């Protein structure tokens, strides 16, 4: 990200390290420790122009009640002269200086709010790590929340296929609604907000399968002892009964992956329906990149999807109506808004990170309002 903008441009970057899932990076973490790795990153030549940073890593995995495994990295460029972060305990902003890393003490850190979703939200998972981390910032009199979120996944492709929408979609709606209600409650002043992370949004599985296998016949395979459905096999009606799709709990093996890559998979966006429930509360720029999950973790197969799940746009950057106005004002005046993914041809782990780049233009209508470039990376 250090080379994203011209050197002269005021800028700031926020990120959630989905790239930490790659096997190479995980080996580095095991060897050096996450904290040491982060310190090396902050002191590297690539980051030398970012003279302030805040890093929040939920590493306290022994705390079953609170552990979320989330991490938020905030890098602030030297050209930003005045930037403030909100203290949720004191209810006031504090000027940001220096570089600080927080890990085991997130529960007691007043500069963020972190919550794990209640266990009964997703009873199938014995120990869920899903939750969110919220921070609040002020740049040139423009205040906004950055909310890093991780929602519940589809535990079974077979269950997801049974109904439209799936039962898992309903669980995600409940959790996201909880977060949105939480960040606009009466405890603090309401500000614009960006919500980003692994939403685990999935395509409507039943509709996708019916569309991909329109002319196929379905074979059901059941377990001998329980009679439970363990596999669905979709075969072409002719063409020697060629297998088009095999569906199991953790298998989505479709014979032609090009469907998900052709024209960035946009033909499948009609099945991306989960955000529609929040159409009055959340806004998203048009998606013009391929499904962000599940990519192969083989370093030699950066463009290949794994056959574990139906590819979907799990990784997103969403915004409140007032944040939308902030971004679209940038688009209308500066033409610099970009919503895209990172590393299309290289292995980034099973998720491709997604970023939103735009200019913060505070003081609309003021002739000499200063422009600040920003990049939010999921």
């Amino acid at each position: 990200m250090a080379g994203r903008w011209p050197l002269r441009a005021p800028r700031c970057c926020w990120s959630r390290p989905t790239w930490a899932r790659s096997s190479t990076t995980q080996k580095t973490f095991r060897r050096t420790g996450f904290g040491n790795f982060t310190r090396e990153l902050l002191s590297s030549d690539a980051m030398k122009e970012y003279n302030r940073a805040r890093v929040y890593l939920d590493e306290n995995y022994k705390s079953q009640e609170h552990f979320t495994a989330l991490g938020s990295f905030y890098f602030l460029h030297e050209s930003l002269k005045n930037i403030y972060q909100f203290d949720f305990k004191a209810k006031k902003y504090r000027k940001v200086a220096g570089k600080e890393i927080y890990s085991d003490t997130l529960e007691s850190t007043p500069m963020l709010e972190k919550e794990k979703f209640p266990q009964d939200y997703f009873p199938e998972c014995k120990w869920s790590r899903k939750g969110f981390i919220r921070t609040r910032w002020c740049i040139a009199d423009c205040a906004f929340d950055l909310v890093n979120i991780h929602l519940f996944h589809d535990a079974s492709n077979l269950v997801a296929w049974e109904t439209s929408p799936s039962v898992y979609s309903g669980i995600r709606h409940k959790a996201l609604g909880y977060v949105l209600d939480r960040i606009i409650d009466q405890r603090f002043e309401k500000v614009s907000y960006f919500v980003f992370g692994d939403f685990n949004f999935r395509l409507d599985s039943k509709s996708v399968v019916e569309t991909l296998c329109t002319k196929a016949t379905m074979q059901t395979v059941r377990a001998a002892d329980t009679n439970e459905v363990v596999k669905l096999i979709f075969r072409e009606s002719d063409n020697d009964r060629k297998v088009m799709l095999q569906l199991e709990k953790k298998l989505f093996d479709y014979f032609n992956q090009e469907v998900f890559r052709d024209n960035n998979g946009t033909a499948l966006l009609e099945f991306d329906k989960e955000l529609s429930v929040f159409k009055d509360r959340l806004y998203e720029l048009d998606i013009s990149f391929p499904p962000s999950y599940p990519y192969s973790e083989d370093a030699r197969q950066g463009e290949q999807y794994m056959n574990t799940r139906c590819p979907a746009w799990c990784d997103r950057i969403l915004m409140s109506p007032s944040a939308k106005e902030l971004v679209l004002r940038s688009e209308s005046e500066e033409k610099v808004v970009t919503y895209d993914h990172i590393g299309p041809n290289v292995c980034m782990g099973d998720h491709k990170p997604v970023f939103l780049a735009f200019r913060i233009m505070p003081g609309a209508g003021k002739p000499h309002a200063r422009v600040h470039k920003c990049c939010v990376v999921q």
Side-chain angles (χ1 to χ4, degrees), residues 122-305:
F122 197 48
E124 278 192 57
C125 188
K126 294 181 180 179
W127 184 20
S128 170
R129 300 176 300 174
K130 307 301 191 291
F132 71 94
I133 290 179
R134 170 196 190 187
T135 54
R136 176 169 292 187
W137 303 82
C138 184
I139 302 176
D141 298 323
C142 181
F144 49 86
D145 282 349
L146 295 175
V147 184
N148 178 357
I149 193 170
H150 191 187
L151 297 183
F152 301 100
H153 61 285
D154 282 11
S156 169
N157 293 323
L158 294 170
V159 174
W161 174 83
E162 290 176 350
T163 59
S164 176
S166 78
V167 62
Y168 303 118
S169 176
I171 295 171
R172 287 187 285 271
H173 292 164
K174 181 179 179 181
L176 181 53
Y178 172 84
V179 174
L180 296 182
D181 291 341
R182 183 68 170 162
I183 62 181
I184 63 169
D185 61 20
Q186 301 301 314
R187 294 170 301 142
F188 308 105
E189 179 185 2
K190 294 180 182 179
V191 300
S192 301
Y193 56 83
F194 295 86
V195 186
F196 55 96
D198 181 3
F199 291 83
N200 263 312
F201 287 164
R202 306 301 173 97
L203 305 185
D204 187 283
S205 184
K206 192 170 187 64
S207 299
V208 169
V209 171
E210 290 175 351
T211 300
L212 295 179
C213 304
T214 302
K215 298 181 180 181
T217 57
M218 185 181 74
Q219 174 188 352
T220 302
V221 180
R222 298 179 180 272
D225 52 345
T226 64
N227 203 38
E228 178 186 6
V229 175
V230 294
K231 179 185 287 191
L232 299 175
I233 303 174
F234 296 82
R235 298 178 182 272
E236 290 191 20
S237 300
D238 47 21
N239 196 24
D240 296 328
R241 304 276 295 162
K242 176 182 177 181
V243 174
M244 300 182 68
L245 171 67
Q246 294 187 75
L247 200 66
E248 298 178 18
K249 180 178 181 178
K250 295 184 178 181
L251 178 71
F252 188 98
D253 190 5
Y254 187 64
F255 80 104
N256 180 20
Q257 280 202 4
E258 289 304 314
V259 169
F260 306 105
R261 289 191 288 262
D262 185 40
N263 195 28
N264 290 322
T266 52
L268 297 170
L269 279 171
E270 65 174 296
F271 306 114
D272 180 71
K273 302 176 181 180
E274 294 198 30
L275 188 56
S276 62
V277 176
F278 301 95
K279 62 182 180 180
D280 296 327
R281 305 179 70 181
L282 290 171
Y283 176 82
E284 182 178 28
L285 295 183
D286 291 339
I287 292 176
S288 58
F289 49 87
S292 65
Y293 171 87
Y295 281 92
S296 170
E297 296 183 282
D298 186 331
R300 300 164 297 180
Q301 298 180 334
E303 298 179 343
Q304 187 78 12
Y305 287 108

